[in-house]
Amino acid sequence: MKKAIIGVIIAIILVAAIGIGILVVKDFKQEDILRQEMLEFENLTRAENIDLDQIDQRIRELKTTGDYGVLEKAMKDYLADVVNVSVDIANILNDERIVNALTPENYQEDGPDFVQTKQFLEESKTNLEQYKNEVLQLLTNEGAMSYIENKNLDDYYVDLYKEIALSEDTALDEDNAEIEASLDEATRILDIESQVINLLSENQNSWEIDGDTIVFNNATLQNQYNDLVGQI
């Protein structure tokens, strides 16, 4: 009887050990899937021609389950917000109206009051400042960590999130400084364009379009115009 009891206990322990082994292997497999998923996402964002549809599809698809699934969703929610605000910024900077604002064609079409151009430039500056603040906040370690708060995950998963999602402070500061400087430069250009448009709208009788050239009948005004345009 004693031997039978010992045999049952050993069997139970073996079954439990096998079960635990399966769970550990499964966890390792889940972690590998998660790491590979994040690596492939990073490769997509570094491609020469970024496919936003493919990135969006990658973000929407969850490849893991359980706590890893919670972790993956937190990461992808974070990435989705970073991508979305980045696209918003790109849409502003790639708008042809920025390039065309100071062209003879626009001077003729929207001048001399420039109602549409003024509105567009002001809205662009306001939105760009908003999106800049959003993306810079997202790209802080605090911003990234906010997506895993209140998920009730063990420290192991939180540490794994930190490992994959967070950057070294020095590299992060450098990247954020570069992004901020680039967006500030874009805002500066928009501001100069606004100054040019205001200069023209406030001096409507001092300039005209001759062919594809703006001509001034006031030397001081022309110098002011040339000085502003030269700063772009």
Side-chain angles (χ1 to χ4, degrees):
M1 179 68 70
K2 185 176 180 182
K3 287 184 179 180
I5 293 173
I6 292 174
V8 171
I9 293 173
I10 291 174
I12 292 173
I13 291 174
L14 286 175
V15 170
I18 292 171
I20 292 171
I22 291 172
L23 289 175
V24 170
V25 170
K26 184 179 180 181
D27 276 357
F28 281 140
K29 185 175 181 180
Q30 292 271 296
E31 184 171 329
D32 286 342
I33 292 172
L34 180 62
R35 289 182 182 277
Q36 183 62 32
E37 186 71 4
M38 292 302 106
L39 178 61
E40 290 179 10
F41 179 87
E42 182 179 358
N43 291 336
L44 285 175
T45 63
R46 295 179 182 275
E48 184 174 348
N49 296 313
I50 295 178
D51 188 333
L52 290 176
D53 290 335
Q54 195 171 1
I55 288 176
D56 182 65
Q57 181 179 354
R58 177 75 64 176
I59 287 175
R60 291 174 182 275
E61 292 179 353
L62 295 181
K63 301 294 182 64
T64 57
T65 59
D67 286 341
Y68 283 99
V70 175
L71 193 64
E72 182 184 359
K73 187 173 189 310
M75 289 182 182
K76 290 189 172 180
D77 285 345
Y78 171 64
L79 293 172
D81 285 346
V82 172
V83 169
N84 287 337
V85 72
S86 299
V87 169
D88 289 335
I89 290 171
N91 287 338
I92 292 176
L93 300 182
N94 292 330
D95 196 314
E96 292 183 354
R97 288 175 290 179
I98 293 178
V99 177
N100 296 332
L102 304 187
T103 61
E105 291 79 9
N106 188 58
Y107 295 165
Q108 285 184 313
E109 292 176 6
D110 197 32
D113 296 318
F114 296 101
V115 174
Q116 294 182 24
T117 304
K118 288 179 180 179
Q119 181 179 353
F120 165 72
L121 292 175
E122 287 304 313
E123 288 179 352
S124 296
K125 286 191 290 183
T126 298
N127 291 336
L128 189 59
E129 184 67 20
Q130 175 188 333
Y131 296 145
K132 181 190 79 171
N133 292 334
E134 287 181 14
V135 76
L136 289 177
Q137 174 58 32
L138 284 169
L139 295 179
T140 62
N141 285 338
E142 292 78 8
M145 288 302 297
S146 68
Y147 285 76
I148 203 171
E149 291 177 353
N150 303 319
K151 301 296 184 183
N152 297 320
L153 291 173
D154 291 342
D155 290 344
Y156 176 82
Y157 298 99
V158 175
D159 290 340
L160 182 59
Y161 181 89
K162 290 178 180 178
E163 177 190 339
I164 297 175
L166 304 191
S167 301
E168 294 293 334
D169 288 341
T170 302
L172 185 63
D173 289 342
E174 291 176 354
D175 290 342
N176 283 6
E178 183 177 350
I179 292 170
E180 185 172 12
S182 297
L183 296 180
D184 284 346
E185 175 62 13
T187 300
R188 185 188 71 83
I189 291 173
L190 289 170
D191 187 59
I192 291 174
E193 288 193 339
S194 293
Q195 292 180 52
V196 172
I197 294 301
N198 288 334
L199 182 70
L200 296 180
S201 67
E202 292 167 3
N203 298 274
Q204 298 181 8
N205 297 322
S206 299
W207 60 273
E208 63 180 1
I209 300 299
D210 184 8
D212 59 355
T213 305
I214 183 170
V215 178
F216 295 89
N217 58 26
N218 182 302
T220 300
L221 184 64
Q222 182 168 5
N223 289 336
Q224 290 177 328
Y225 176 88
N226 291 340
D227 180 64
L228 286 171
V229 172
Q231 296 178 43
I232 296 178

